[in-house]
Amino acid sequence: LNGTVAIAGNTTNFTITMTNVPTDICTTVVSGATGYLSVQVGSNTAITSFPVSPAISSAQCAGGAQTLVFTAS
């Protein structure tokens, strides 16, 4: 990865934000995500149903490097 990773939160929820994630890595990470409240890819609507199918992760990760935001509690 050639971007940043930031963790922010409070006592209830926290987020992990990864920037500049290449498409191939984005697809793998998003389709393998479990245990989160949501995962947002770029400006797409946040995903809240897991596991994420490869088709959905491929569609959301298309178009170049993305920012991923994982929300957990």
Side-chain angles (χ1 to χ4, degrees), residues 4 6 14-22 25-27 29-31 33-50 52 56-62 64-72:
T4 61
F14 66 94
T15 60
I16 302 168
T17 303
M18 301 168 61
T19 64
N20 203 28
V21 179
I25 294 176
C26 175
T27 302
V29 169
V30 171
S31 64
T34 60
Y36 295 100
L37 297 174
S38 67
V39 176
Q40 184 172 9
V41 180
S43 61
N44 292 304
T45 301
I47 299 165
T48 58
S49 181
F50 301 95
V52 180
I56 291 174
S57 63
S58 292
Q60 290 215 357
C61 292
Q66 298 287 347
T67 295
L68 306 180
V69 179
F70 299 85
T71 302

